[in-house]
Amino acid sequence: MTEPVIDRALVELRGVSKRFGGTQALDEVSIEVRSGEIHAFVGENGAGKSTLGKVIAGIYTADRGGVVIDGAPVDRWNPGIAQGRGIAMIAQELALVPDLTVAQNVFLGAEEHRLGVLRRNVDERFAALDAEVGFGLDPRARVRDLRIAEQQKVEILRSLARDARVIVMDEPTSSLTAHEMSQLEDLMRTLRDRGCCVIYVSHFLDSVLGVADRITVMRDGRRIDTFEAAAVSKHQLVTAMLGRELDQAYPDRPAAPGADQAPVLVARSVRTRTGVEDMSFEVRPGEIVGLLGLVGSGRTECLRAVFGVDEIVGGAVEFGGRDWTGRTPKHSIDAGLILVSEDRHKDGLVLQRSVRENIALSSLGARALGGVIRSGQEKREALEVARSVEIRPLDIELPVGWFSGGNQQKALLGKALAASPKMIILDEPTRGVDVGAKRAIYELIVRLATEGIGVLLISSEHEEVMELAHRAYLVSEGRTFAEIIPTETTVEDVLFQLFHVASGEEAAA
Ligand SMILES: Nc1ncnc2c1ncn2[C@@H]1O[C@H](COP(=O)(O)OP(=O)(O)OP(=O)(O)O)[C@@H](O)[C@H]1O
Ligand SMILES: [Mg+2]
């Protein structure tokens, strides 16, 4: 192996512009990424980060400007050519084949007989690759059965299997646990030290500051600045991203409902076949209640069962004073119990349809009953909802798939609001959303509670629950084991309890 040459430009973009309809996604962007660096792209939703990554990876070709690889301009550019030049991208919207296994996805289309090397058993090659990064994935599991965090790991292995020397990771950490995130950061460092360039697109500025060598800030399709990570503060980054100072991150918590109020949603010792052992909680109208746990603790699974997606095999659920055990999602939606799931594509949005249609889908059932869909009204309502969640650009006739990741998340929330919920369950509502838009979502949560709607909130950013919820339950291994009042404790204390229980120290004591 030859010594990696550090600080050589691997990919250079010169004055690249890219337009989608009326949106200037990239505007004269010049940038170079070098061997031996972790180069982060940060910016608000819709700033152009993914588009920039996709031009680098050959998925999009620029309208104007050029791509230079290893010092030589390229005249043709597509994903195949880019891959041949050692450039891979882990897209924000994962692109795995759900019906194939983990190992099949990892090696799909990879040149395995290069240099005449004997094709080794796929399981064996997989094990070697997986051991290198320590993910511990089951090669034979079907991708469709994996959680998003696991699917992201499969994507990462896919690019490693291709010996990429430039790897664009578009929000790879958005649904990983803290531990998985630090594993991934270690992996990025390993790749860098081998002379690769890792392009790291993320909204987790702390992680970016901790791991990146250089940070490029994008805003409105333009490259605003590129900083040496060691010489820039989080405050400077946020200000460059927004083009202004950020107001306070969280709105004030609304007043808590009286303890005498009857709960709108109750779970009593719920058990499922999906890993929920014994979960109990209640939510009153106008109350924001959090579930705090590590990824994989069973929070999502419990909520799916309460909503009616998965079967409940023990315990009971009550909604609006009625027994709600074993209902279907349709029952729940019709009665105003709404789940906004963490996987916006699988469970939430129809990408080819417009924002208006997606928003209307949730309330269409009721309206179509009369046989006629009042389209003028539908349009006005959809626009109002889209505005309240700050979808940008505010054009509800565009297909949802055309919007940036964070704006798709806002569309999903809009869809839930249009269904006139009595009780809303939010699973990772700010995943992939930028700092400015997060604040808009927090305000929305507070507004819902103020209007008397019960809110159940799951977030892996524990701070969100701690800053917004009136009460929260701690969850580990499928059980709710404690209840806390966020204003009376700290994130550190919560984490301590979560890890303490998860590591089984309690049982040993
Ligand atoms: N395929 C497409 N068709 C139409 N418009 C697009 C397409 N891809 C991106 N855009 C638009 O280009 C702009 C830049 O989008 P991009 O996905 O690059 O943003 P981003 O910085 O990655 O945002 P996020 O943080 O939300 O992922 C957005 O306004 C988006 O709506
Ligand atoms: Mg993006």
Side-chain angles (χ1 to χ4, degrees):
M1 217 182 109
T2 52
E3 278 293 301
V5 185
I6 308 295
D7 269 12
R8 183 166 46 89
L10 290 177
V11 182
E12 217 186 316
L13 300 189
R14 294 189 182 153
V16 163
S17 294
K18 179 78 186 169
R19 202 176 175 82
F20 296 106
T23 308
Q24 192 71 48
L26 294 178
D27 189 2
E28 302 265 330
V29 175
S30 295
I31 188 173
E32 61 170 50
V33 299
R34 305 170 185 163
S35 61
E37 77 165 344
I38 299 172
H39 193 136
F41 294 170
V42 300
E44 286 186 278
N45 295 131
K49 305 177 298 292
S50 295
T51 307
L52 189 56
K54 285 178 183 170
V55 171
I56 290 173
I59 298 164
Y60 291 152
T61 46
D63 302 335
R64 271 181 293 125
V67 179
V68 177
I69 309 287
D70 296 324
V74 295
D75 45 355
R76 285 185 59 232
W77 199 228
N78 61 38
I81 298 175
Q83 194 179 312
R85 305 296 298 266
I87 301 170
M89 176 155 184
I90 298 163
Q92 184 173 11
E93 316 308 347
L94 302 178
L96 299 168
V97 187
D99 285 321
L100 295 183
T101 66
V102 166
Q104 284 167 334
N105 267 282
V106 166
F107 295 112
L108 191 71
E111 245 351 293
E112 18 185 300
H113 28 257
R114 196 168 32 199
L115 305 174
V117 175
L118 280 179
R119 175 198 291 241
R120 259 195 291 156
N121 173 303
V122 167
D123 282 352
E124 205 176 301
R125 291 174 52 217
F126 181 87
L129 195 61
D130 190 66
E132 201 179 333
V133 293
F135 283 164
L137 286 169
D138 171 7
R140 290 162 187 267
R142 299 243 160 239
V143 161
R144 70 158 64 260
D145 299 326
L146 300 183
R147 296 176 29 257
I148 305 184
E150 253 75 56
Q151 294 191 9
Q152 268 168 338
K153 295 182 193 168
V154 177
E155 285 267 14
I156 292 166
L157 289 185
R158 245 173 88 80
S159 61
L160 295 183
R162 283 163 181 69
D163 288 329
R165 52 188 192 127
V166 177
I167 302 181
V168 185
M169 298 190 180
D170 198 351
E171 297 197 22
T173 54
S174 53
S175 52
L176 302 187
T177 61
H179 175 65
E180 289 169 327
M181 193 146 152
S182 81
Q183 271 185 336
L184 182 69
E185 288 172 353
D186 286 344
L187 174 65
M188 288 188 213
R189 293 188 184 100
T190 307
L191 291 169
R192 169 192 60 196
D193 296 345
R194 279 190 205 158
C196 291
C197 170
V198 178
I199 295 174
Y200 179 30
V201 183
S202 177
H203 290 289
F204 288 99
L205 298 182
D206 291 325
S207 169
V208 162
L209 281 164
V211 76
D213 299 295
R214 293 197 301 155
I215 304 172
T216 288
V217 176
M218 298 289 298
R219 184 183 352 125
D220 295 333
R222 281 187 293 271
R223 187 179 69 86
I224 299 300
D225 211 338
T226 299
F227 300 96
E228 294 290 332
V232 69
S233 70
K234 189 167 166 183
H235 181 84
Q236 279 173 296
L237 281 183
V238 171
T239 309
M241 282 166 60
L242 301 183
R244 59 178 166 83
E245 300 269 333
L246 178 69
D247 347 315
Q248 186 204 346
Y250 291 91
D252 291 337
R253 224 178 298 248
D260 52 329
Q261 280 249 31
V264 55
L265 183 69
V266 185
R268 272 191 244 288
S269 301
V270 166
R271 192 156 53 82
T272 70
R273 292 200 184 85
T274 54
V276 180
E277 297 297 332
D278 181 359
M279 287 186 54
S280 300
F281 56 79
E282 49 183 63
V283 184
R284 289 191 268 283
E287 192 179 29
I288 304 173
V289 174
L291 292 184
L292 289 164
L294 307 176
V295 170
S297 57
R299 294 166 306 170
T300 296
E301 290 73 11
C302 180
L303 300 184
R304 282 168 58 93
V306 166
F307 180 62
V309 182
D310 297 329
E311 194 188 348
I312 293 176
V313 296
V317 179
E318 265 170 43
F319 172 59
R322 289 195 281 164
D323 180 26
W324 212 256
T325 320
R327 300 293 179 121
T328 65
K330 185 171 181 323
H331 286 145
S332 295
I333 292 169
D334 290 347
L337 171 60
I338 306 294
L339 170 72
V340 179
S341 120
E342 65 173 331
D343 187 344
R344 57 181 170 249
H345 291 153
K346 209 165 84 197
D347 306 328
L349 296 170
V350 187
L351 294 179
Q352 304 81 354
R353 300 281 201 97
S354 69
V355 171
R356 174 176 56 77
E357 288 170 298
N358 271 279
I359 288 177
L361 275 177
S362 57
S363 47
L364 202 62
R367 219 168 287 151
L369 273 181
V372 193
I373 298 166
R374 283 163 293 159
S375 69
Q377 183 177 344
E378 174 189 301
K379 216 172 198 160
R380 271 193 304 281
E381 286 175 9
L383 186 62
E384 193 182 312
V385 167
R387 185 173 287 130
S388 76
V389 293
E390 298 187 10
I391 285 179
R392 270 182 294 172
L394 187 60
D395 182 346
I396 58 172
E397 299 305 330
L398 292 179
V400 163
W402 286 23
F403 285 80
S404 74
N407 280 294
Q408 292 183 12
Q409 190 66 30
K410 297 186 214 165
L412 190 59
L413 268 178
K415 185 181 156 187
L417 295 186
S420 319
K422 291 194 183 68
M423 168 75 217
I424 191 161
I425 302 174
L426 300 172
D427 194 355
E428 306 285 359
T430 61
R431 196 166 79 89
V433 171
D434 71 58
V435 281
K438 270 182 182 161
R439 164 82 199 202
I441 291 178
Y442 300 151
E443 278 168 13
L444 203 71
I445 291 173
V446 167
R447 199 185 82 204
L448 289 170
T450 313
E451 289 169 1
I453 296 164
V455 179
L456 191 57
L457 175 65
I458 297 189
S459 172
S460 296
E461 288 188 60
H462 293 136
E463 196 190 281
E464 293 186 339
V465 172
M466 298 299 283
E467 293 290 336
L468 293 168
H470 297 112
R471 289 186 301 121
Y473 295 87
L474 306 192
V475 184
S476 177
E477 294 176 353
R479 296 166 200 278
T480 38
F481 67 91
E483 187 185 327
I484 61 149
I485 308 283
T487 49
E488 294 171 5
T489 179
T490 62
V491 177
E492 289 70 32
D493 184 53
V494 165
L495 282 174
F496 178 78
Q497 290 200 54
L498 290 175
F499 281 114
H500 188 75
V501 172
S503 62
E505 282 174 43
E506 196 188 47

